[in-house]
Amino acid sequence: MDNNIFTVKDLHFAYGKQNVLTGLNLTLHEGAITTLIGANGCGKSTLFNLMTKNLRPDRGEILLKEENIAEIKLKEFAKQVSIVHQYNTAPTDLTVEKLVSYGRTPYHTMGLSPDAKEDEEKVQWAMEITHTLKHRQKPVSELSGGQKQRVWIAMALAQDTKVLFLDEPTTYLDIRYQLQILQLIRNLNREYGITIVMVLHDINQSLYYSDEIVAMKDGKMIAQGLPEEIITSELVQSVYGVTLNISSVDGKPFVIPV
């Protein structure tokens, strides 16, 4: 994890008079699964939205491979970074295949594709990888929550980027679908070399499925590193305000939530 892909420098952001991020600095590494953790209101979702160009910082800069993302046009940014947001909606009659095909939009000019064959191949691949191909003709509205999440991930994969951002991708899913989605994310990283940056609510899932953890509190990063190196009872107390014991599962820390 020596290659930096995102660098955040002296980042400040406020909603009105309420400061959310205050002088935040961090570096994200290419080829890793990095998860942002922290209590509600710590600023992790705001950081996510700043890094994906949904918000603009009040001060500071975010670099993607040494280029300030503020200077990158959205269409070009979408060829490098794909995003799955926490809340997604689609028209009730929109089919899975059609939704996934929207991931090719950054490569179109005036609504037209310069390479329809490549578009078809990328869409097919994205559905195969996410195991949504069998649903290609179904309306997205007819799918279960876990199946829908796979479709949204497939649309992001059809963009053919090397970086994938996911904002709480397991929210509202039962435990079976949560684990399936997390295993899919890990496979995308391990098998296809996609750099993953995600926000997760469940601390133990964060620790087990991440290469690196970024712990946030009060708009600042207070720890970053390998889960087994930085997660302690003291850090959990600092981040979440509770005292919990730490055990180990497969060599990674496990927080006992009782």
Side-chain angles (χ1 to χ4, degrees):
M1 295 189 294
D2 295 329
N3 297 327
N4 299 342
I5 192 163
F6 271 95
T7 305
V8 176
K9 297 182 177 180
D10 192 32
L11 201 63
H12 292 255
F13 184 83
Y15 290 106
K17 295 182 179 180
Q18 181 182 358
N19 291 324
V20 180
L21 300 179
T22 53
L24 188 145
N25 295 277
L26 66 87
T27 299
L28 301 184
H29 300 103
E30 188 172 15
I33 300 176
T34 302
T35 301
L36 310 179
I37 67 170
N40 292 340
C42 72
K44 58 185 184 294
S45 292
T46 298
L47 174 60
F48 182 97
N49 284 318
L50 287 162
M51 295 185 72
T52 54
K53 287 179 68 71
N54 287 295
L55 294 172
R56 292 180 66 92
D58 297 326
R59 193 164 83 242
E61 59 184 9
I62 302 169
L63 306 180
L64 171 59
K65 287 288 191 179
E66 305 305 322
E67 184 175 5
N68 193 329
I69 67 170
E71 307 301 323
I72 305 176
K73 294 181 179 180
L74 277 174
K75 190 171 185 178
E76 292 307 311
F77 188 73
K79 293 178 182 178
Q80 301 182 65
V81 175
S82 52
I83 308 158
V84 178
H85 294 284
Q86 183 176 356
Y87 303 105
N88 300 287
T89 58
T92 56
D93 60 344
L94 190 68
T95 66
V96 167
E97 185 170 25
K98 186 65 175 177
L99 178 60
V100 175
S101 73
Y102 288 161
R104 301 301 300 162
T105 301
Y107 300 92
H108 296 176
T109 303
M110 302 295 288
L112 299 176
S113 171
D115 192 337
K117 182 180 179 181
E118 182 177 15
D119 285 352
E120 183 179 352
E121 289 175 350
K122 295 298 182 183
V123 169
Q124 176 88 5
W125 172 80
M127 289 189 295
E128 288 177 352
I129 294 303
T130 56
H131 303 291
T132 56
L133 188 61
K134 61 185 176 183
H135 303 304
R136 65 191 307 165
Q137 298 303 324
K138 289 184 180 179
V140 177
S141 59
E142 293 183 3
L143 302 181
S144 68
Q147 291 168 340
K148 287 178 182 176
Q149 188 67 303
R150 285 179 177 273
V151 174
W152 290 107
I153 293 174
M155 186 179 75
L157 293 177
Q159 284 179 232
D160 194 27
T161 69
K162 296 303 290 182
V163 182
L164 173 61
F165 276 79
L166 303 114
D167 189 6
E168 299 203 20
T170 58
T171 298
Y172 305 126
L173 302 181
D174 65 36
I175 188 63
R176 177 177 62 135
Y177 284 123
Q178 288 180 28
L179 295 178
Q180 287 179 357
I181 292 297
L182 290 169
Q183 288 162 3
L184 169 62
I185 291 168
R186 184 156 60 184
N187 184 58
L188 293 173
N189 172 260
R190 301 294 192 261
E191 297 296 323
Y192 300 97
I194 298 175
T195 300
I196 305 290
V197 183
M198 60 182 173
V199 176
L200 282 181
H201 182 71
D202 187 301
I203 184 172
N204 282 320
Q205 290 179 351
S206 303
L207 303 180
Y208 192 78
Y209 287 95
S210 305
D211 298 314
E212 194 164 34
I213 295 290
V214 173
M216 295 182 62
K217 181 181 180 182
D218 297 333
K220 293 185 177 182
M221 182 191 73
I222 63 170
Q224 180 178 9
L226 302 176
E228 59 270 26
E229 293 182 355
I230 70 166
I231 298 301
T232 62
S233 294
E234 291 76 16
L235 182 68
V236 172
Q237 169 64 39
S238 177
V239 171
Y240 295 101
V242 292
T243 301
L244 297 171
N245 292 322
I246 309 293
S247 184
S248 178
V249 175
D250 293 341
K252 291 196 175 185
F254 181 85
V255 178
I256 302 174
V258 292

